Amino acid sequence: MFESAYIGWDLHIWAVAITATLIGGVIRGFTGFGFALILISALLLVADPVAVVPLTLILDLLAGFTLLPRTFRQVHWIGIRQLLIGSAVGVPVGFACLLLVAPEPMKIAIYFGILASVLLIAKGFKLASVPGNGMLAGTGVVAGLMSGASGVPGPPVILLYLSSPLPVSTTRATAIAFFIFVDIFALGLAAYKDLMSIDMLLRCALLFPLMAIGTSIGHRLYGLAQPETVKLAAIILLGVLAIVGIGKVLLV
């Protein structure tokens, strides 16, 4: 009865979810990604992936819808097409991992994947030209796998675009558009696998206003910032989340 009063979550889980949703919304509005990374990384500290991933997908999708009208013209639509082709392969494989792999190994794999992406970006990994169709599709496979397994498709796509000659504004806009398509696909699979519940939808409804407030604040901050500031913020954020997450899993 105690738990049902809080829609199945204890107060400490709600405290983490509320804080991460607001901060994640600000980062999503500022960089174009990061909401799912923050929310999934924070909630994995107090809950299992199967309970967290569908909620993260829904809120991330709603965040994308609030931002896309403001960034539509800057989207790299050719890249979106190839990324989605790859994601169609990766998302089902990721969901299979989510359902079959034990929570702790799954958490470790997610955080190490994030950390590897951060290190590559921080070391100045760069492409000499705009990514071709094969590289885009391959990145889509990896992003789809991470989306299905953890609700976090961002790191491979962000790494690819930040490493290309395209401007940061294109990276941000393309990430926003891509995550909308991937989230819709992943949510369809989640519903098919009966990973959705009334409690989870109620949690989304309660957290949505905080996410919307955060993305609005972040978008305003983006208009004031330099491109290199946006890139640096992304690198620092990803690195801190990955290190904290790995430490938590290994020390518990």
Side-chain angles (χ1 to χ4, degrees), residues 24-241:
V26 173
I27 298 300
R28 181 78 145 93
F30 184 60
T31 65
F33 77 105
F35 178 82
L37 282 167
I38 292 174
L39 188 58
I40 199 78
S41 298
L43 283 176
L44 281 178
L45 301 177
V46 292
D48 289 336
V50 173
V52 171
V53 170
L55 177 140
T56 302
L57 288 171
I58 291 176
L59 289 175
D60 192 57
L61 176 62
L62 295 174
F65 281 137
T66 66
L67 291 168
L68 184 62
R70 310 170 193 176
T71 59
F72 187 87
R73 294 183 179 179
Q74 297 169 310
V75 175
H76 185 227
W77 289 107
I78 296 175
I80 290 288
R81 181 186 63 196
Q82 298 302 320
L83 288 168
L84 290 177
I85 290 172
S87 296
V89 176
V91 170
V93 176
F95 260 107
C97 293
L98 176 66
L99 296 173
L100 298 175
V101 179
E104 296 309 310
M106 177 62 67
K107 292 177 185 179
I108 287 289
I110 291 168
Y111 287 127
F112 269 111
I114 294 170
L115 185 58
S117 297
V118 170
L119 292 175
L120 283 172
I121 297 173
K123 285 182 174 295
F125 175 76
K126 293 184 180 297
L127 298 172
S129 60
V130 176
N133 289 344
M135 184 174 291
L136 286 163
T139 301
V141 171
V142 178
L145 193 153
M146 291 185 68
S147 176
S150 65
V152 185
V157 176
I158 299 302
L159 169 63
L160 182 67
Y161 274 89
L162 285 181
S163 304
S164 77
L166 294 169
V168 171
S169 60
T170 299
T171 298
R172 179 175 180 267
T174 303
I176 289 169
F178 172 68
F179 297 155
I180 288 176
F181 289 109
V182 173
D183 287 345
I184 290 173
F185 185 22
L187 278 171
L189 284 176
Y192 177 74
K193 295 294 185 181
D194 294 324
L195 297 181
M196 316 287 274
S197 69
I198 296 299
D199 279 358
M200 188 271 295
L201 294 176
L202 289 174
R203 293 168 194 155
C204 287
L206 291 175
L207 292 172
F208 172 73
L210 290 171
M211 179 275 296
I213 291 170
T215 56
S216 179
I217 294 172
H219 184 72
R220 292 183 182 182
L221 292 174
Y222 172 77
L224 302 174
Q226 296 296 321
E228 286 303 314
T229 302
V230 179
K231 182 175 180 179
L232 179 61
I235 292 173
I236 294 173
L237 172 66
L238 290 171
V240 170
L241 287 175

